[in-house]
């Protein structure tokens, strides 16, 4: 594969960016021309940010899997599409060529059809990081079913919420998943979730850990048995469903500052073009390079940069089942060494955690294959940036600090590897097609360089979300109502003297814990469900490894004799309601929380206390009961 739209110099970048602003439709049409469409578009773009209504490549017909699979068969059929490294380094890895992957996706697409799945149906996928997860995702796309992948760390309750919201009728899962020393009982979690999900008529269970599972007659079937059935039916191919460019491709749930997680909706045409364009350009992917993104497919990073971006580009994408510290903190480097990885894309939290083990696990590993490094998910601190640069990239490999969101579908602000001069801690410049703007509290544009503001985007791009599933008004309110005619990201941002962007973190009540997004309100609701809890307030605080930790202030109905036990009980409740990723790092029992006279919790004050900056609380004169603040300060953990 060659990429005629791959930028090759800083001048080309500047030219492309200017073109994308003066003629966005022409710019994206030129790129879209390099994909396989059953029918081309009638109109490139129709939009308004009021409703909002965003339509890219209207009238075009395609199937994204024909772009990820079929079109590569002639030239790349024997090239590895997916290299899979298991959790246990003693177990054999797998190499799946483009032809293998095509066959497996077709086969499983036929399984889905056999089980009554039709175009437009919603399918929940809850699996570990095995190739069958990518196969399940692509098989849904093949037949036009809308996938909703739920990360394996979420609880039964969280899965049930998501299944109900999307009214899924099929679930694809595994008996269990291996993650480090743990064995996670996925099917058993699904069984709990399904007690509250009457819409689900079929559960397809793939074997991985072979932990005992309950298989309900009439509802649950084994992946392997279903494959055998379609094998005996003859024709293994599965024609791709013809999709409209604006048909839904997938739903992915993400947390916000209020309420339950919302289902971010991405559509077929624009998402395909955008995930591919950003992959090819940001990482400067060259044919045959081995690319390793350490994310989980349960998050948007896995969707766009393990599955759709790389595969639509004919790349070799490495999928790793395990965790960075198992069996030891050298695992990533062993994988790089073993497969001669060229591009490594990971998260600051992983880098910081590996840094804490010192250089022992890095020394004597051959990392000479690495030519490009990437970071995503949260601001990368300078110390981690330099460690990554010096010890992993050996001072030579460029680092791309990629800023984007579940809602943006793909990378938005980032250096282009080896082309954009980098600056530690800065996501640097917008990709072509992206028009960032900083605004102040009143929505007034902050112009010039050396300024701060809230980060917004003023023009649509093909990968952006179209709606939040089942609730378009929520989409409008959350992203398009804070500022007129702008998409609001929820992030604060600096533009320095060179015009470089640095993302400073969320300005709403959303936490970023180890690169995972969690709403404070969500954690509070979970804590409040615990027996004996009257009220709680949750804030973030700086955490050496996780970036942000979760600090909970909890008011109990009555004094507890055993605070430690009560803490553990609350953690259990949060694990049950949301999942282990939302467990507070600190729980402080308090007699009250600071509130305004109108009853609103003053999080600003709690945040200061949690951060250990209790001497600078600012104006507390509007507090209902200033006395509680001293009590809280004294009890700080
Ligand atoms: C939020 C989006 C996008 C994939 C993973 C997270 C933060 C993301 C960066 C970065 C500083 C970053 C932002 C953003 N974020 N990348 N390079 N520098 N902050 O996706 O769960 O949708 O979270 O992650 O705060 O809004 P997500």
């Amino acid at each position: 594969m060659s990429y005629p739209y791959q930028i090759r110099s800083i001048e080309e970048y500047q030219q492309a960016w200017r073109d994308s602003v003066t003629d966005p439709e022409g710019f994206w049409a030129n790129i879209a021309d390099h994909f396989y469409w059953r029918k081309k578009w009638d109109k490139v773009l129709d939009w308004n940010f009021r409703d909002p209504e965003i339509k890219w490549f209207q009238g075009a017909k395609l199937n994204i899997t024909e772009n990820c699979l079929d079109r590569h068969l002639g030239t790349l059929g024997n090239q590895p599409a997916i290299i899979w490294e298991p959790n246990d380094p003693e177990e054999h890895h797998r190499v799946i060529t483009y032809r293998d992957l095509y066959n497996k996706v077709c086969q499983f697409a036929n399984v889905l059809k056999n089980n009554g799945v039709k175009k437009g149906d919603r399918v929940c996928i809850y699996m570990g990081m095995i190739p069958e997860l990518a196969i399940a995702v692509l098989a849904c796309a093949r037949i036009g079913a809308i996938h909703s992948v739920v990360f394996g760390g979420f609880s039964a309750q969280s899965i049930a919420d998501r299944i109900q919201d999307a009214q899924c009728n099929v679930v694809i899962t595994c008996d269990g998943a291996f993650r480090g020393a743990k064995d996670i009982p996925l099917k058993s979690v699904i069984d709990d979730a399904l007690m509250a999900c009457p819409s689900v008529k079929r559960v397809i269970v793939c074997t991985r850990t072979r932990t005992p599972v309950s298989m309900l007659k009439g509802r649950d079937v084994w992946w392997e048995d279903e494959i055998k059935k379609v094998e005996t039916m003859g024709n293994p191919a599965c024609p791709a469903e013809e999709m409209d460019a604006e048909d839904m491709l997938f739903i992915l749930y993400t947390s916000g500052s209020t309420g339950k997680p919302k289902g971010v909706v991405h559509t077929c045409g624009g998402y395909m073009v955008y995930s591919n364009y950003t992959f090819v350009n940001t990482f400067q992917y060259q044919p045959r390079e081995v690319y390793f993104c350490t994310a989980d497919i349960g998050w948007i990073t896995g969707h766009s940069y393990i599955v759709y971006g790389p595969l639509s580009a004919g790349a070799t994408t490495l999928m790793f089942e395990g965790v960075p510290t198992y069996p030891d903190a050298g695992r990533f480097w062993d994988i790089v060494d073993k497969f001669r990885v060229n591009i490594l894309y990971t998260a600051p939290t992983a880098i910081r955690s590996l840094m804490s083990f010192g250089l022992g696990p890095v020394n004597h590993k051959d990392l000479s294959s690495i030519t490009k490094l990437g970071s995503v998910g949260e601001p990368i601190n300078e110390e981690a940036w330099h460690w990554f640069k010096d010890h992993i990239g050996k001072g030579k490999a460029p680092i791309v600090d990629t800023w984007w969101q579940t809602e943006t579908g793909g990378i938005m602000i980032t250096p282009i590897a080896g082309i954009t001069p980098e600056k530690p801690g800065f996501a640097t410049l917008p990709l072509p097609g992206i028009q960032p703007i900083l605004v102040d509290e009143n929505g007034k544009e902050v112009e010039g360089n050396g300024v701060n503001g809230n980060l917004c985007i003023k023009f649509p791009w093909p990968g952006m979300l179209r709606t939040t599933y089942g609730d378009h008004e929520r989409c409008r309110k959350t992203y398009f109502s804070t500022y007129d005619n702008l998409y609001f990201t929820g992030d604060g941002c600096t533009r320095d003297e060179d015009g470089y962007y640095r993302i400073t973190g969320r300005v709403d009540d959303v936490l970023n814990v180890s690169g995972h997004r969690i709403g404070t309100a969500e954690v509070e609701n979970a804590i409040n469900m615990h027996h004996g809890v009257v009220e709680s307030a949750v804030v973030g605080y700086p955490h050496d490894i996780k970036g942000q930790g979760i600090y909970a202030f909890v008011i109990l109905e009555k004094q507890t004799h055993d605070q430690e036990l009560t803490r553990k009980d609350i953690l259990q409740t949060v694990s049950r309601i949301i999942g282990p990723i939302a467990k507070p790092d600190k729980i402080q029992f308090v007699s009250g929380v600071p509130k305004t006279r109108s009853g609103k919790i003053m999080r600003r004050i709690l945040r200061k206390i949690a951060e250990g900056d209790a001497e600078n609380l600012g104006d507390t004169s509007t507090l209902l009961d200033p006395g509680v603040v001293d009590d809280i300060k004294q009890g700080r953990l």
Side-chain angles (χ1 to χ4, degrees):
M1 260 219 119
S2 72
Y3 315 110
Y5 44 86
Q6 194 170 52
I7 292 160
R8 299 191 181 265
S9 66
I10 193 77
E11 292 76 24
E12 274 187 35
Y13 158 71
Q14 284 154 347
Q15 188 60 46
W17 193 83
R18 280 195 300 269
D19 292 348
S20 77
V21 174
T22 45
D23 177 18
E25 297 195 35
F27 176 81
W28 287 112
N30 278 336
I31 293 160
D33 267 333
H34 299 283
F35 291 77
Y36 173 66
W37 305 86
R38 296 263 185 102
K39 174 184 172 286
K40 289 250 171 117
W41 49 92
D42 304 315
K43 191 155 189 259
V44 179
L45 173 64
D46 230 342
W47 73 287
N48 76 72
F49 277 175
R50 251 172 305 107
D51 297 337
E53 186 172 41
I54 293 111
K55 289 183 176 159
W56 283 93
F57 310 115
Q58 243 184 105
K61 304 282 183 197
L62 77 154
N63 186 291
I64 194 168
T65 68
E66 288 187 325
N67 285 272
C68 291
L69 302 169
D70 307 53
R71 71 163 167 161
H72 302 318
L73 293 181
T75 46
L76 302 172
N78 297 323
Q79 286 288 317
I82 297 177
I83 298 175
W84 175 75
E85 170 71 6
N87 181 59
D88 177 355
E90 301 294 312
E91 190 183 333
H92 261 294
H93 68 268
R94 287 166 65 183
V95 177
I96 300 170
T97 64
Y98 271 95
R99 176 154 303 280
D100 294 339
L101 186 60
Y102 167 82
N103 288 332
K104 287 179 190 302
V105 169
C106 283
Q107 229 178 19
F108 193 65
N110 282 328
V111 165
L112 291 176
K113 282 207 239 172
N114 255 352
N115 282 278
V117 183
K118 290 183 295 299
K119 177 176 180 173
D121 286 352
R122 276 82 54 220
V123 174
C124 173
I125 303 179
Y126 186 69
M127 297 171 84
M129 282 287 283
I130 56 175
E132 284 69 21
L133 166 52
I135 291 164
V137 162
L138 291 165
C140 286
R142 186 88 180 162
I143 64 169
I146 300 162
H147 54 79
S148 164
V149 184
V150 178
F151 173 63
F154 280 114
S155 69
Q157 181 66 52
S158 296
I159 301 165
D161 290 344
R162 287 156 172 78
I163 289 177
Q164 287 165 356
D165 186 75
Q167 286 293 298
C168 297
N169 42 26
V170 171
V171 174
I172 308 170
T173 189
C174 296
D175 47 1
F178 295 123
R179 270 178 71 78
K182 286 194 216 119
D183 176 343
I184 299 154
L186 298 177
K187 173 62 164 66
S188 145
V189 178
I190 287 292
D191 288 335
D192 289 345
L194 293 193
M195 290 198 266
C197 301
S199 64
V200 174
K201 303 291 184 239
R202 184 68 83 235
V203 181
I204 304 175
V205 186
C206 183
T207 314
R208 174 61 184 134
T209 55
R210 207 49 197 97
T211 12
V213 292
S214 118
M215 291 291 283
L216 214 61
K217 193 187 289 170
R219 189 194 70 182
D220 302 350
V221 296
W222 291 107
W223 174 299
E224 294 76 9
D225 290 349
E226 296 304 296
I227 293 282
K228 284 206 193 87
K229 278 191 212 160
V230 298
E231 269 173 350
T232 59
M233 281 164 53
N235 188 8
C238 174
E241 187 75 35
E242 186 166 288
M243 305 296 283
D244 199 276
E246 282 299 338
D247 279 341
M248 281 187 204
L249 175 62
F250 66 85
I251 307 171
L252 189 57
Y253 284 83
T254 193
S255 297
S257 48
T258 56
K260 293 212 161 150
K262 45 193 176 284
V264 169
V265 170
H266 287 286
T267 58
C268 297
Y271 176 81
M272 169 181 78
V273 171
Y274 197 69
S275 58
N276 175 291
Y277 178 79
T278 52
F279 171 74
V280 163
N281 278 297
T282 306
F283 299 106
Q284 288 289 297
Y285 186 81
Q286 305 304 322
R288 281 194 238 292
E289 280 184 326
V290 177
Y291 159 86
F292 176 20
C293 167
T294 69
D296 190 292
I297 293 178
W299 309 107
I300 190 70
T301 307
H303 282 60
S304 301
Y305 300 113
I306 295 178
V307 181
Y308 289 115
L311 294 178
S312 66
T316 296
T317 175
L318 196 154
M319 212 178 144
F320 173 41
E321 182 182 35
V323 297
T325 49
Y326 182 84
D328 61 53
R331 190 64 192 280
F332 278 0
W333 325 129
D334 289 333
I335 295 174
V336 168
D337 194 340
K338 177 170 173 189
F339 298 104
R340 311 302 298 144
V341 169
N342 304 112
I343 308 173
L344 176 69
Y345 189 29
T346 192
T349 185
I351 300 170
R352 286 191 300 262
S353 130
L354 295 176
M355 270 169 76
S356 72
F357 291 87
L359 289 174
V362 186
N363 291 338
H364 312 297
K365 304 286 162 70
D366 184 358
L367 305 183
S368 61
S369 55
I370 289 184
T371 54
K372 285 157 274 189
L373 296 171
S375 163
V376 61
E378 48 174 319
I380 179 164
N381 49 307
E382 287 203 27
E383 199 192 349
W385 193 96
H386 284 292
W387 190 87
F388 203 32
K389 182 86 179 178
D390 297 343
H391 301 294
I392 307 308
K394 308 296 176 193
K396 298 188 311 265
I399 298 178
V400 292
D401 174 358
T402 64
W403 173 83
W404 57 296
Q405 310 177 294
T406 303
E407 294 85 346
T408 70
I411 298 169
M412 301 283 281
I413 304 184
T414 180
I416 296 179
I419 290 176
T420 313
E422 53 198 18
K423 202 185 274 190
F426 283 78
T428 74
L429 299 170
L431 284 174
I434 304 309
Q435 303 185 38
I437 149 171
L438 302 185
V439 295
D440 66 17
E441 252 91 279
N442 307 314
K444 215 173 112 17
E445 176 164 6
V446 185
E447 285 173 284
N449 290 342
V451 292
N452 285 308
N454 288 344
L455 178 62
C456 294
I457 314 289
K458 66 176 171 195
F459 196 84
W461 63 99
M464 73 186 298
L465 86 164
R466 301 298 194 266
T467 187
T468 46
Y469 193 82
D471 192 351
H472 193 60
E473 175 58 12
R474 187 160 178 208
C475 172
R476 189 191 66 78
K477 267 216 187 95
T478 312
Y479 307 105
F480 299 93
S481 73
T482 317
Y483 305 110
D484 261 0
N485 241 340
L486 297 175
Y487 166 82
F488 176 43
T489 65
D491 280 317
C493 182
T494 300
R495 186 169 50 224
D496 79 352
E497 301 302 337
D498 297 327
Y500 270 25
Y501 291 87
R502 174 198 196 104
I503 310 318
T504 49
R506 304 288 305 196
V507 294
D508 50 9
D509 292 319
V510 171
L511 305 179
N512 189 326
V513 180
S514 301
H516 301 148
R517 217 157 121 177
I518 301 167
T520 53
E522 239 181 298
V523 184
E524 286 165 6
N525 290 340
I527 295 174
N528 296 349
M529 286 180 74
H530 187 75
H531 175 83
V533 170
V534 178
E535 195 179 5
S536 63
V538 164
V539 296
Y541 71 97
H543 187 286
D544 284 348
I545 307 261
K546 299 179 176 185
Q548 266 188 317
I550 304 180
Y551 198 122
F553 299 90
V554 176
I555 306 171
L556 294 177
E557 233 164 67
K558 52 178 191 292
Q559 286 278 350
T560 158
H561 355 268
D562 191 338
Q563 291 211 344
E564 228 12 75
L565 193 58
T566 309
R567 268 196 195 100
K568 285 185 183 148
D569 289 343
I570 291 175
L571 294 183
Q572 271 306 110
T573 300
V574 174
S575 266
R576 235 195 212 275
I577 303 297
I578 307 176
I581 52 174
K583 282 200 285 194
D585 299 275
K586 294 184 179 179
I587 296 176
Q588 180 182 345
F589 295 112
V590 295
S591 57
V593 289
K595 287 190 176 173
T596 60
R597 289 196 185 92
S598 58
K600 223 175 126 325
I601 297 177
M602 296 208 34
R603 276 169 208 289
R604 180 177 56 80
I605 290 179
L606 293 175
R607 226 176 279 133
K608 286 270 184 203
I609 296 174
E611 283 166 7
D613 191 17
E615 295 324 304
N616 301 300
L617 292 184
D619 182 15
T620 53
S621 62
T622 54
L623 278 185
L624 188 61
D625 174 13
V628 299
V629 174
D630 292 322
D631 288 351
I632 298 176
K633 272 182 0 191
Q634 257 152 40
R636 181 176 175 269
L637 299 171

